[in-house]
Amino acid sequence: MRQNKIPQATAKRLPLYYRYLNNLNRQGKKRVSSKELSEAIKVDSATIRRDFSYFGALGKKGYGYNVEYLLGFFRSTLDQHETTEVALIGVGNLGTAFLNYNFTKNNNIQIKMAFDSDEEKIGQIVGGVPVYGIDEMMERIEGISVAILTVPVSEADVITEKLVKAGIEGILNFTPVRITVPEDVRVHHIDLAVELQALVYFLKHYPLQSK
Amino acid sequence: MRQNKIPQATAKRLPLYYRYLNNLNRQGKKRVSSKELSEAIKVDSATIRRDFSYFGALGKKGYGYNVEYLLGFFRSTLDQHETTEVALIGVGNLGTAFLNYNFTKNNNIQIKMAFDSDEEKIGQIVGGVPVYGIDEMMERIEGISVAILTVPVSEADVITEKLVKAGIEGILNFTPVRITVPEDVRVHHIDLAVELQALVYFLKHYPLQSK
DNA sequence: GAAATGTCGTGATTATTTTCACATATAATT
DNA sequence: AATTATATGTGAAAATAATCACGACATTTC
């Protein structure tokens, strides 16, 4: 379970590979080469082969990769056989977008419950997920190890503290706040304003074409 | 304008620095050290010093950095003196979240217009931004160089093609589709399902604490 | 069944990024 | 004024990641 040898950069690409293989499989494709994959997902073909090779020799020379086999392999590598249950905190626009996203289609990830402090929202079912009051969070969240944080900035720190107390292990943080957690809690940040500004910066300072 | 020497990894962190310096300045803080910054934004202090040093000697030994000076410096580096106008395509939950996000507060980025194909939404003002029909996009978008793409998967390719024809230079793509564009158009992907699945993978395979 | 073609897996190389660690300079203290 | 504490900027090293390029082998074609 903890064969910690795969580079982080590779690990980040695995879900991407997995989803595309799923697509191919649905389309009934039987084989695929690193070159084809490369064109579809915009990752250098040598990088793809290298990535796959960390898991052993999954392909066949002169043929490519067997889609079904590869898919099955990634399914178990990405623990897709067991469903990961997730909680979402903050049912605003962004939170609602997540609730309506069907993660279970490609990934065995399921948002099991959501929390909000707005009386209007409590008790509703959004995207098939029940919304509870924040005050119920501590009891209800037990057994869930991953949280998506889509609350306003002002709430971020307080909620994070509660999540940590409730034993959460991973947080996908969409607030601009760099939340503070014990070192055994993993936080991934997605900062929408930063991403947008970075794109603008790259546009002005890193001309493409010539490259 | 094109002193292409700053590492990409550094460039991606600039907006983060900028926002935090803004916060400090608002709080009336006069000085800050790389160590303080490091604790706040969770980036190694040596990395911060190195990042800053690409722009010259911005600090003072034994003192740290002058917040106002540094802020002013980044403001011009990040082109914050001029407003960047952006269009958003797809006013669903995710799109609406963006429209309600006040980018202008910290960043001189303004979503100037939005597009959707839903008759219900056309003509509305969401978060202060007018929503037009997709069919008006080609005319209206002229002069805008950045687009945020928050449409359903099925629309992604068609809309992208239109955006490219309309002369867009950068796309912040939230669809899982790896859109195809000419090489002089810059695309940044943010794939929510991939991010979530990557977090889950890291949790299971990259134990923290010990590290 | 021989020749041509295709594609993997990987050693070696190169590029990029992070981190260490310390000389150097400023600021604070006594 | 001397001493101590602080914090930068950066050379050098280490870590991480991407890419090249080719031998080996499977598949396809003739």
Side-chain angles (χ1 to χ4, degrees), chain A residues 88-100 111 126 148 150, chain B residues 93 97:
Chain A
L88 181 140
I89 333 291
V91 188
N93 290 123
L94 185 55
T96 305
F98 265 106
L99 294 179
N100 286 310
I111 304 183
V126 180
I148 301 173
T150 49
Chain B
N93 290 123

Side-chain angles (χ1 to χ4, degrees), chain A residues 1-9 11-12 14-16 18-19 39-43 55 76-80 82-84 86 92-94 96-98 100-101 103 106-109 111 145-148 169-172 174-211, chain B residues 1-9 11-12 14-16 18-19 39-43 55 76-80 82-84 86 92-94 96-98 100-101 103 106-109 111 145-148 169-172 174-211:
Chain A
M1 178 179 170
R2 327 223 110 151
Q3 22 72 70
N4 201 338
K5 268 175 237 114
I6 292 123
Q8 298 220 356
K12 285 187 191 162
L14 295 183
L16 200 56
Y18 180 70
R19 186 173 53 211
E39 276 152 23
I41 61 180
K42 294 5 187 211
V43 171
F55 299 100
S76 62
T77 299
L78 287 168
D79 309 295
Q80 291 294 316
E82 56 186 72
T83 299
T84 301
V86 172
N93 290 123
L94 185 55
T96 305
F98 265 106
N100 286 310
Y101 197 122
F103 290 105
N106 281 312
N107 316 303
N108 278 1
I109 289 176
I111 304 183
S145 55
V146 177
I148 301 173
E169 290 168 40
I171 299 175
L172 193 58
F174 283 87
T175 78
V177 180
R178 309 306 268 198
I179 54 179
T180 301
V181 296
E183 63 174 13
D184 59 342
V185 175
R186 183 176 277 276
V187 177
H188 284 201
H189 281 277
I190 299 179
D191 193 320
L192 301 180
V194 164
E195 299 289 345
L196 184 54
Q197 200 171 359
L199 173 62
V200 169
Y201 182 81
F202 274 88
L203 274 179
K204 299 208 180 171
H205 297 268
Y206 292 75
L208 292 166
Q209 187 81 302
S210 55
K211 202 208 150 180
Chain B
M1 178 179 172
R2 329 222 109 150
Q3 23 73 70
N4 200 339
K5 267 176 236 114
I6 291 124
Q8 297 219 356
K12 285 187 191 163
L14 296 183
L16 200 57
Y18 180 69
R19 185 173 54 208
E39 276 152 23
I41 62 179
K42 280 39 179 193
V43 171
F55 300 100
S76 61
T77 299
L78 287 169
D79 308 295
Q80 292 294 316
E82 55 186 70
T83 299
T84 302
V86 172
N93 290 123
L94 185 55
T96 305
F98 264 106
N100 286 309
Y101 197 121
F103 291 104
N106 281 311
N107 316 303
N108 277 2
I109 289 176
I111 303 183
S145 55
V146 178
I148 301 173
E169 291 168 39
I171 299 176
L172 193 57
F174 283 88
T175 77
V177 180
R178 308 307 269 197
I179 55 178
T180 302
V181 297
E183 63 175 13
D184 60 341
V185 175
R186 183 176 278 275
V187 177
H188 283 202
H189 281 277
I190 301 179
D191 193 321
L192 301 182
V194 165
E195 299 288 345
L196 184 54
Q197 199 171 359
L199 173 62
V200 169
Y201 182 80
F202 274 87
L203 273 179
K204 298 209 182 173
H205 298 269
Y206 292 75
L208 294 167
Q209 187 79 300
S210 55
K211 203 207 152 181

Side-chain angles (χ1 to χ4, degrees), chain B residues 49-113:
Chain B
R49 292 199 300 282
R50 173 82 58 193
D51 282 348
F52 289 1
S53 79
Y54 290 116
F55 300 100
L58 303 176
K60 238 193 226 175
K61 302 186 177 189
Y63 176 86
Y65 300 90
N66 179 299
V67 172
E68 212 172 318
Y69 175 75
L70 200 55
L71 185 62
F73 187 85
F74 277 116
R75 203 193 314 277
S76 61
T77 299
L78 287 169
D79 308 295
Q80 292 294 316
H81 40 89
E82 55 186 70
T83 299
T84 302
E85 297 185 345
V86 172
L88 180 140
I89 333 292
V91 188
N93 290 123
L94 185 55
T96 305
F98 264 106
L99 294 178
N100 286 309
Y101 197 121
N102 186 5
F103 291 104
T104 319
K105 183 186 165 200
N106 281 311
N107 316 303
N108 277 2
I109 289 176
Q110 195 187 1
I111 303 183
K112 198 78 181 175
M113 56 185 80

